[in-house]
Structures are given as structure tokens and as C-alpha cells.
Amino acid sequence: MKKTIAAVSFSLIALSGCNQTTDKQQLIVGTNATFPPFEYVGGASGSDIIGFDIDLAKQIAADAGKELVVKDMKFDSLIVALNAGKIDMIAAGMTITPERQKSVAFSAPYYEATQVVITQADYHGISTSTDLTGKKVAVQLGSTGDGMATELGSHVAAFNTGFEAVMELSNGKVDAVLFDSQPASNLIAKKPQLQLHTMEFEPEYYGFAVAKDNAELVAQINTTLQTMQSNGSYTTLLNTYMK
Ligand code: GLN
């Protein structure tokens, strides 16, 4: 235990030396709060940003002895904000991809996800991923679903949020939505006219992203994740948020 504390305070000292424009007492986390149950607007006030990622970020900040500050922005702007020093970390259900690893560093993976397809319940034109070729598919701009639909040769309509993509489907403007499984089932929960289809998509792994030169913060995040996994609090969070 002592060892862990020593390691954390050592990395805090190292971190304070290279922290760019942000306040040293704060951990500034960027998110896009339209991705339930990972990050969304709700809580007691109805206007708090809450969710699985936010609770993990709270623990990461607490372990670092910092105040958590959450900044809500477009998903597409998160990596730009990180590399401009406006935020210290991205907590946004962000999939670890080789492309993103060129510009940011990721923590250890903390959640396994996959893409799913949403269609109108009475639509039967898509039963495998390759059926998306040539179809009108709505996605979230800059997401892995966006990249996959593009690669599959869909006619892609990209929106700032998954919510808007689902609206487009509800309005009959597209054939399908390609989106991450948990948020997808959340978004269609009260829409019996829509149906979720699981297909043979590869697993994706979410990680917290930090600036490439911030190895200290990666180490801190990983220490917190490991501790939460071994003391059961990670499982408690899963049970709280994943239905
Ligand atoms: N996991 C997907 C991605 O990383 C979607 C994330 C999101 O929309 N918040 O692209």
C-alpha cells in the first residue's frame, strides 16, 4: 500500500513539471455527454454530467489528489482539445485505435464494446455487416462506427450525437444506425418501433486518452483502474450502469 502511495506522489511531482496550460490542482476531463450510460446529462439536478466514465474519472482524480473538472464538447473535438492542452484526459467511451494512437496515448483498456446496427423493427434488409454496403447509414461524426460505415461503402450521414443519428432513422431518412452497443440500447429503450441487431463486428476496447508525452498520467490512470478492479468497485460500477 505504502509503495502505491509513494508511486502516485512521485508521478504527481513529475506531472506538475510538464503540465501545460491547465491548473495543477485540477484534472480537466473532456467528454461528450450524449453517450449513456458512459456519460450523459442527468443526476439529481437534471443537469449534471454523470455516468460510468465520469465515476471512473472521479476516482482517478481523487487518487491523484486533484479536483475533477468535466468539460462537455463535441466528440469530434476531444482529441484536438487534448492536444491543444485544454483538457488533461478524454473520458468518452473512446475506442483505442491505431489511428488515434498516432496522436494520443491511451490508458489500459477499461471496457469491451462492439458496434450494433439499429433499424426500423419492420425492416429486414440488413442481417450481416456487409449488407450495410450501399445502404443509408447514420453515425456519430468521428466515431468508430463512422469509420466502419465508410469502409463498408455505406452512404454515411454523420451527426454530432448518436441521438441525432437515431432521430434520422426514426424519421425514415436512413436505413440504419451504426453505433456502440450500450448507448444504442439506451437510445432505443423507449422506442419499440426500432430494433437492435447484433452482428459479427470485432470487439472494441475503450481507453482514457491523454497527451502523448504524459506517461505519468497514463500510469496514474492504470493504477486506479487496477485498484478498482481488485477491490470490486469496478464491478459495482458495471452493475450500477450496465443494464
Ligand atoms: N467508441 C466509439 C468511438 O470511440 C464511440 C464513442 C462515442 O461516441 N463517445 O469512436
Side-chain angles (χ1 to χ4, degrees):
M1 185 61 191
K2 263 197 183 134
K3 238 185 191 167
T4 317
I5 292 167
V8 168
S9 48
F10 170 76
S11 52
L12 264 182
I13 293 160
L15 179 67
S16 60
C18 69
N19 209 0
Q20 306 117 354
T21 55
T22 53
D23 189 320
K24 285 180 193 111
Q25 303 312 312
Q26 298 181 329
L27 179 72
I28 304 181
V29 169
T31 195
N32 174 251
T34 65
F35 200 68
F38 296 92
E39 40 272 334
Y40 55 102
V41 177
S45 73
S47 58
D48 294 331
I49 297 175
I50 58 170
F52 183 75
D53 286 346
I54 306 304
D55 281 0
L56 289 175
K58 270 184 198 157
Q59 192 60 51
I60 291 162
D63 289 352
K66 293 188 172 192
E67 178 203 351
L68 177 70
V69 176
V70 179
K71 285 195 179 172
D72 193 17
M73 57 187 79
K74 287 179 186 170
F75 182 74
D76 201 30
S77 308
L78 286 164
I79 289 183
V80 178
L82 182 67
N83 285 328
K86 292 193 176 136
I87 54 176
D88 301 310
M89 173 179 132
I90 299 172
M94 184 173 272
T95 303
I96 302 168
T97 68
E99 191 56 35
R100 289 173 180 157
Q101 279 171 322
K102 288 180 195 160
S103 53
V104 300
F106 279 100
S107 71
Y110 66 86
Y111 188 81
E112 182 182 323
T114 189
Q115 296 295 304
V116 293
V117 171
I118 311 169
T119 65
Q120 300 278 355
D122 59 3
Y123 178 83
H124 303 290
I126 300 170
S127 51
T128 69
S129 59
T130 49
D131 290 334
L132 291 170
T133 307
K135 299 285 194 320
K136 288 186 206 158
V137 179
V139 297
Q140 178 172 32
L141 182 66
S143 65
T144 43
D146 186 357
M148 286 165 64
T150 305
E151 245 172 60
L152 284 162
S154 306
H155 300 295
V156 178
F159 297 87
N160 278 322
T161 64
F163 177 78
E164 290 162 276
V166 170
M167 287 275 286
E168 194 78 348
L169 176 66
S170 293
N171 293 337
K173 303 261 178 63
V174 291
D175 301 310
V177 168
L178 187 60
F179 204 37
D180 297 46
S181 54
Q182 279 287 344
S185 50
N186 242 277
L187 287 174
I188 68 159
K190 287 175 194 120
K191 297 188 170 70
Q193 72 278 16
L194 300 183
Q195 192 177 345
L196 196 146
H197 309 264
T198 52
M199 289 175 193
E200 70 290 8
F201 295 109
E202 294 290 314
E204 297 184 17
Y205 298 92
Y206 295 169
F208 297 109
V210 308
K212 264 204 148 176
D213 61 359
N214 203 346
E216 292 85 358
L217 184 52
V218 172
Q220 281 185 351
I221 297 168
N222 289 346
T223 303
T224 295
L225 290 175
Q226 265 167 22
T227 306
M228 291 184 78
Q229 261 146 10
S230 54
N231 71 14
S233 54
Y234 178 87
T235 307
T236 305
L237 280 189
L238 276 183
N239 293 337
T240 305
Y241 286 106
M242 310 299 158
K243 305 287 173 224

